[in-house]
Amino acid sequence: MSFVDEFKKLSRSELQMSLYSTTKQDVERALINPEGNLSSLLALLSPAAEPYLEQMAQRSVALTRQRFGASLGMYIPLYLSNLCANECDYCGFTMSNKIKRKTLSEKELVRELSLVKKMGYDSVLLVSGEHETKVGLDYFKQMLPLVKQQFSHVALEVQPLEQTDYQSLMEDGLDAVMLYQETYNPVTYANHHTRGKKKDFSFRLESPERVAQAGVDKVGLGVLLGLDDWRLDALLMGHHLAYLEKHYWRSRYSISLPRLRPCTGGVPPKVELTDKGLVQMICAFRLFNQQLEISLSTRESPEFRDNLFALGVTNVSAGSSTQPGGYDEPNSQLDQFEISDERTPYEVAAAISARGLNPVWKDWERGWR
Amino acid sequence: MLKIGDTEFTSRLFTGTGKFANDKNMLAAIGASNSELVTLAVKRLDLKTGSDNILKPLQQRRVKLLPNTAGARNVKEAIFAAHLSREMLGTNWIKLEIHPDPKYLMPDPIETLAAARILCEQGYVVLPYVHADPVLCRRLEEVGCAAVMPLGSPIGSNQGLATEPFLKIIIEQSQVPVVIDAGIGAPSQATRAMELGADAVLVNTAIASSADPVAMGRCFAQAVDTGRAAFIAGLGNVSEQANSTSPLTGFLNV
């Protein structure tokens, strides 16, 4: 039994109909009992909840402050490689893109790490394209100890691996794994993932379970907002999250809410998610799950991010580069996607402080696991 | 005067360092609370980069530091954190908290007892954070813990003393100080905890997440003092029936 079996029992059409036929009374009922309640999450993600956005935001702020205090965790992505054996039409790393490919050597990685460390970071997210043979378990096992020497918290955002692989990487200090389904619509998924192992919708869908079964401390879910109906994708991610929390209670969970950004040869968004919609999502998830960590990347504009800091997010990246070796050589044209907030980590931290919040650079211990 | 291990405390309000908007605000709130024992998470310490600017002011305030093992999920991790804190802070005091459940942060009684036994043997002054379980508190006392810290309700929840019947038993039975930790969300709840006979309370979220943490720190200081004074004075008996102060049969005793 896995979430794949649960997912097959869910009727997309029924959920979609419920989303778009939700009434004002349904939303008001949802606001009475939102926590852990998937029916309430549906109502709060519906168009009918839009007039209640201010009320949702007020409660989201209060719940976030109660659970996380004024702390906002600071993290930074570090790209290991842009090699990829998948064809995904929204990503700059897609296999058919005629771009220069690069995988960091040990020496290059150490250089990148030292530059990121100088920015003040202690939490790093290692990212790569999905290329099992050249950037697979052996490569990660070679590189992870180098990262762990300098950084307390290390997360991985790479291709799905086997449970034994995650267990093996935990021995090298792996703390978290981010694994995004991109969209929970199998048809849309098939349209956007046309070659490579990522084509396998179900394998990816059950991957977070392997992460949790391995005992990894934090599991990150996410959808690429714009590939499909964001309300339904978000709701199904909520179902996925609820399933994981119920069955793997020892892990922490986080979500990322990236909106589709321009990239080399990339597709435009099929469904536009407005700023208002993104705020609604953040608040809905906070009301649904008080302890959920919510990450905010540099895909969003500085002004918008400044306004989101207080609303319910818990982890923020800043000064990011989306290319391998990008901190040492920023203009090498290897980006996965364009970033929107180009401020330095120091500037972002100052903006966070100006909002009465506390940027936290270290919240983990290197030798913990 | 409260004595834990070899240290005496005038204030019976212990506070935390997490969740504040900034260090200045935190220090001001701790000052207003008159707290003499402050807990801080080992995982948050970063002495290597020098970015840890809260330690020095705390040490200047002459508050005792109680490093905690928050984040530890088992015996091994908790002991690692304790060793690290002794190395970094030069203290053998440790607030032992082991919670494998990140949702409700419920303390694991099995791992906590095992870790407490080891740390006490290694010479630590151990203050374990536990559920309000009277038998567990006795067992922790037996392995050498300097105090017990049962919860009032889920940590950070501000729900108050949901475990009151069990806290009463623990307070009645305990040979070591009882510090009620977690869930106290209002000064009135701190007063109630002290009225029950708790030796101290630990409050963090209620102060840190207040709109005015400094004022709230002061409120808690007063509340704890009042509750303690009421306990010493002795509360009247609670009865289901009325007891007249001028009984009708009073003339028989004249």
Side-chain angles (χ1 to χ4, degrees), chain A residues 35 65-71 117 122 170 215-217 245 249-252 291 356-358 360 362-369, chain B residues 19-23 42-46 49 69-73 76-77 80-81 84 100-105 156-158 205 209:
Chain A
E35 195 179 0
R65 295 291 78 81
Q66 185 182 357
R67 177 73 192 207
F68 297 94
S71 302
K117 196 72 189 169
D122 193 50
M170 281 173 69
V216 174
D217 179 66
E245 270 202 337
W249 58 272
R250 282 185 169 85
S251 289
R252 286 188 289 163
Q291 63 283 345
L357 299 166
N358 186 19
V360 173
K362 182 181 185 294
D363 191 23
W364 199 246
E365 193 42 56
R366 189 174 310 146
W368 210 244
R369 300 285 172 250
Chain B
K19 300 191 175 183
F20 286 92
N22 55 59
D23 298 343
V42 175
K43 63 178 181 152
R44 286 284 291 272
L45 295 174
D46 191 6
T49 62
T69 63
R73 301 185 303 178
K76 179 172 158 275
E77 290 165 12
F80 172 83
L84 193 71
D101 162 23
K103 185 170 183 178
Y104 292 110
L105 302 171
S157 70
N158 294 341
T205 300
S209 63

Side-chain angles (χ1 to χ4, degrees), chain A residues 27-28 30-32 44 49-62 283 287:
Chain A
V27 177
E28 286 170 2
L31 286 166
I32 294 166
L44 297 177
E50 285 176 12
Y52 298 85
L53 196 52
E54 179 59 28
Q55 190 181 334
M56 287 167 66
Q58 297 277 357
R59 286 176 63 175
S60 176
V61 171
C283 297
L287 268 61

